[in-house]
Amino acid sequence: MKAIMLAACLTLIAAEAQAISRYDPTRMSCGRLQATIARQGAVILRYQSRRVTGLPLYDRYVQSQQFCTMGEVRTRAYVPSADTKSCPVYNCKRPDNDRHFRRRFFHSN
């Protein structure tokens, strides 16, 4: 019985992971890209780096804070699109509290 429950849980996790749509933002206009994220809530965008040839870049982009996990905050990001070099979108990131701590207490005057 435990094996069946474990298998069911793993199947649900795998199904949830496959449910998110993947897009190439360079094949969409900025407006269409933003509308797609708003409609689906969260998507994965994958595109080629402009600085390093052949390096694929990807991340999960979200419509609102509710699509971020606990401990993450929604932050503005920019991705290339078909009609602009930097289309404003949002992704989820963990705040870098160490950097704030170092800046506050170890700041040299």
Side-chain angles (χ1 to χ4, degrees):
M1 185 65 170
K2 287 183 183 179
I4 293 172
M5 291 301 290
L6 179 60
C9 288
L10 291 175
T11 302
L12 288 174
I13 291 170
E16 183 178 323
Q18 292 176 358
I20 192 164
S21 298
R22 293 163 177 80
Y23 297 97
D24 179 351
T26 61
R27 296 177 185 261
M28 306 168 79
S29 70
C30 184
R32 183 171 162 223
L33 179 61
Q34 292 169 335
T36 300
I37 295 170
R39 184 179 65 252
Q40 294 191 10
V43 300
I44 292 176
L45 300 179
R46 185 175 189 269
Y47 54 96
Q48 294 296 315
S49 170
R50 289 191 188 132
R51 289 185 266 171
V52 180
T53 306
L55 177 67
L57 301 175
Y58 62 93
D59 205 348
R60 182 174 173 266
Y61 296 89
V62 297
Q63 184 255 343
S64 67
Q65 178 68 38
Q66 77 182 39
F67 293 95
C68 297
T69 61
M70 183 177 270
E72 291 182 329
V73 293
R74 185 179 83 148
T75 58
R76 184 175 296 269
Y78 296 90
V79 297
S81 66
D83 60 345
T84 183
K85 289 182 179 182
S86 16
C87 180
V89 292
Y90 293 95
N91 60 4
C92 299
K93 297 289 180 195
R94 293 203 176 275
D96 187 2
N97 294 329
D98 275 352
R99 193 174 85 200
H100 176 70
F101 176 80
R102 278 184 262 132
R103 190 173 356 138
R104 185 171 177 188
F105 293 104
F106 298 110
H107 180 68
S108 57
N109 293 338

